[in-house]
Amino acid sequence: MRISQRIGLSLFLLVCLLLFTACPQQTSISKIMADPARYRNKEVGITGTVTDSYGILGQGAYEIDDGTGRIWVAATHGVPSRGSHIGVKGHILSGFNIGGRSFGTVLEESGHSAKKY
């Protein structure tokens, strides 16, 4: 291998490494709801279907279902419509726990992409 090929390959691998470490940790809603403190101050990614949404002037909230559970998402960049398949990333804000169940756990959105089916 020539030196220019080695440098090119090294740069390619470095860029790939940076891209993969910048992606949020994708997890299921059931895992988040089972232990919300574990995900506090970490960016997580969730995919699912919007089951309910409320918004006004680009802000609001929507509920997402990934097949394992549901979670509310606080949005400041627009609210997707009901039935949209969505990928969302953000930080977990936890409410309180009673009898082993988590209440008031919300994903504070930092970005999303949606597709209407």
Side-chain angles (χ1 to χ4, degrees), residues 22 24-25 27 32 36-46 71-75 88-95 104-111:
Q25 172 189 1
T27 189
I32 293 170
R38 176 181 178 195
Y39 297 95
R40 191 176 306 138
N41 297 324
K42 293 181 182 175
E43 189 172 54
V44 296
I46 299 170
I71 192 168
W72 281 94
V73 179
V88 63
K89 63 180 179 176
H91 292 85
I92 297 297
L93 304 175
S94 56
T105 301
V106 175
L107 176 70
E108 184 178 39
E109 176 188 274
S110 59

Side-chain angles (χ1 to χ4, degrees), residues 7-113:
I7 291 172
L9 181 61
S10 297
L11 287 174
F12 176 75
L13 292 174
L14 180 63
V15 168
C16 288
L17 179 66
L18 290 174
L19 288 175
F20 288 123
T21 58
C23 295
Q25 172 189 1
Q26 181 142 358
T27 189
S28 67
I29 293 172
S30 64
K31 288 182 181 179
I32 293 170
M33 298 305 278
D35 189 10
R38 176 181 178 195
Y39 297 95
R40 191 176 306 138
N41 297 324
K42 293 181 182 175
E43 189 172 54
V44 296
I46 299 170
T47 59
T49 304
V50 177
T51 58
D52 212 353
S53 66
Y54 303 94
I56 187 166
L57 299 173
Q59 297 188 356
Y62 57 94
E63 187 179 42
I64 186 171
D65 184 341
D66 71 349
T68 67
R70 294 180 177 197
I71 192 168
W72 281 94
V73 179
T76 57
H77 307 300
V79 179
S81 61
R82 177 183 285 166
S84 297
H85 187 71
I86 188 165
V88 63
K89 63 180 179 176
H91 292 85
I92 297 297
L93 304 175
S94 56
F96 55 93
N97 293 318
I98 295 178
R101 287 194 63 196
S102 177
F103 296 94
T105 301
V106 175
L107 176 70
E108 184 178 39
E109 176 188 274
S110 59
H112 74 258
S113 61

